[in-house]
Amino acid sequence: MSKSKSTPLEVNLKNLEEAISHYRREDVMYLLKNGVLSGLTGEELAQTRRRLASLRSTEVMDFLSRQKESFTADMLQLDFGIFQNKNFAKEMLQKYSKKFDLTDEEECRKLFSLACRVDDEKMIQQLIRQKKATDCYEMIGAASMPVFRQITLITTGMIHDDRRVDLYLAACLSADHEEKLAFMQENHIDFLLKNTAGKNVVDLMEDRFRTYRYSNNKKGQLQKLQEEQTVKLLKKIQLENEQGDGKRFLSKKLIILLVVCVVAAAAIGTVAGYAHRNNSVSADSSDDLSVEEEDADSSY
């Protein structure tokens, strides 16, 4: 590869940076194959790999994947306001998942955050199943539905109730909160759980109304209205749950009462049967005695 047909491209970092800046991917590959990264370590290497990832070139990433260094979440911290960057980062996470060091807890936290941002539910599944980055799980509350659905993998005791309530609060504050609430109901997730302060998401959202300063513009007022509607929905669900608990309690009492009645009826029936048998035996004995007396009188 060369700048022109007659002049070879000199292998150095300056030319690499220029090639990246002008998206000359062929020049970049030529420099990589000729060892432009040799001797780079630490932060300088990390920054260079991040710049290389910004090219969104699968060829470049394939080359980097064959190097000894692990991939990092920082490599893929691109401008996700650009849709193509988001898709590329997700694709790289899934394609090279084994190139990331999941023994490094700090790296796992960064990966969890990145996966939430780029909607990579597969990386989230992998981290939760390995119980990595547990202090980041509340992030899925504000994530997309594919990521949020992994909430079912967070079993009892995996995270503290306070973090779990924070997760539910984030879900309630998200734009797709109705879909998330419906999903949690379908999967029997108690999103009205209370934290150590004795507050659930309803209490926390009402606290938010008293302390949060909503913008006076249209966007801020719309946000406030949406959150007010969310609280109304939560209170409706809470009331239905309480009424349901009351009905279940009443049903249990009726079942117990029915069982008691059946047992009592059976006992009464047993006693009545026993008494009837005794009366029958007594009557038979009396008849036998009368017959014997008659026979005795005849003999005289």
Side-chain angles (χ1 to χ4, degrees), residues 9-263:
L9 186 63
E10 186 177 350
V11 179
N12 58 47
L13 290 176
K14 181 180 178 181
N15 282 338
L16 178 64
E17 181 58 36
E18 184 179 342
I20 293 172
S21 298
H22 292 87
Y23 290 90
R24 297 200 305 265
R25 293 179 174 85
E26 289 185 7
D27 285 356
V28 169
M29 283 306 302
Y30 172 82
L31 292 167
L32 288 174
K33 289 176 180 178
N34 283 276
V36 71
L37 298 181
S38 300
L40 290 184
T41 58
E43 186 58 30
E44 188 177 20
L45 177 60
Q47 289 181 359
T48 303
R49 294 204 302 169
R50 191 180 305 124
R51 291 281 289 133
L52 288 166
S54 70
L55 290 172
R56 299 199 306 269
S57 166
T58 54
E59 187 180 11
V60 169
M61 296 301 290
D62 283 341
F63 177 88
L64 294 177
S65 72
R66 294 192 293 272
Q67 309 306 301
K68 64 179 181 179
E69 293 84 6
S70 297
F71 278 5
T72 66
D74 288 338
M75 280 179 63
L76 299 174
Q77 293 294 346
L78 308 176
D79 179 5
F80 297 132
I82 300 173
F83 184 72
Q84 292 88 339
N85 283 348
K86 183 177 180 179
N87 281 351
F88 178 76
K90 179 179 179 178
E91 181 185 348
M92 294 302 101
L93 278 176
Q94 294 183 352
K95 185 175 182 179
Y96 301 112
S97 60
K98 293 182 179 180
K99 278 291 290 184
F100 295 92
D101 183 8
L102 299 189
T103 64
D104 184 336
E105 188 63 22
E106 182 59 30
E107 180 63 22
C108 288
R109 293 189 186 96
K110 291 180 180 180
L111 280 171
F112 198 96
S113 175
L114 176 63
C116 285
R117 293 179 67 193
V118 301
D119 304 335
D120 181 13
E121 68 274 17
K122 291 183 179 179
M123 177 59 76
I124 296 297
Q125 285 176 9
Q126 187 176 354
L127 291 168
I128 292 177
R129 283 173 175 156
Q130 295 186 30
K131 298 182 180 180
K132 301 291 185 179
T134 56
D135 54 348
C136 298
Y137 287 1
E138 62 264 31
M139 291 181 183
I140 70 173
S144 64
M145 275 306 299
V147 171
F148 181 77
R149 290 190 184 98
Q150 310 317 311
I151 190 175
T152 57
L153 299 176
I154 305 176
T155 56
T156 302
M158 191 177 287
I159 59 174
H160 194 277
D161 283 352
D162 287 355
R163 289 194 178 278
R164 197 177 287 272
V165 173
D166 288 342
L167 191 165
Y168 300 155
L169 179 62
C172 291
L173 292 172
S174 62
D176 52 355
H177 62 275
E178 289 187 11
E179 187 176 358
K180 289 173 179 175
L181 288 173
F183 178 81
M184 288 192 285
Q185 280 188 295
E186 290 170 4
N187 288 274
H188 309 290
I189 295 173
D190 182 16
F191 54 84
L192 293 172
L193 174 76
K194 293 185 178 182
N195 59 20
T196 51
K199 295 186 176 183
N200 60 22
V201 289
V202 178
D203 304 317
L204 293 174
M205 290 197 71
E206 289 183 331
D207 289 346
R208 177 181 168 86
F209 286 143
R210 290 190 290 269
T211 58
Y212 187 77
R213 291 187 178 183
Y214 297 91
S215 301
N216 290 324
N217 56 27
K218 184 177 180 180
K219 183 179 179 180
Q221 294 308 303
L222 179 60
Q223 178 188 2
K224 183 178 181 181
L225 178 61
Q226 288 176 338
E227 291 180 11
E228 286 175 345
Q229 291 174 343
T230 302
V231 170
K232 289 180 181 178
L233 176 61
L234 286 168
K235 285 185 174 180
K236 180 182 177 182
I237 294 171
Q238 187 175 31
L239 180 61
E240 289 174 352
N241 287 352
E242 290 172 352
Q243 290 175 342
D245 289 340
K247 289 178 181 178
R248 284 191 291 272
F249 178 71
L250 182 59
S251 297
K252 287 181 181 179
K253 289 186 69 175
L254 289 173
I255 290 171
I256 292 170
L257 181 60
L258 179 61
V259 170
V260 170
C261 289
V262 169
V263 171

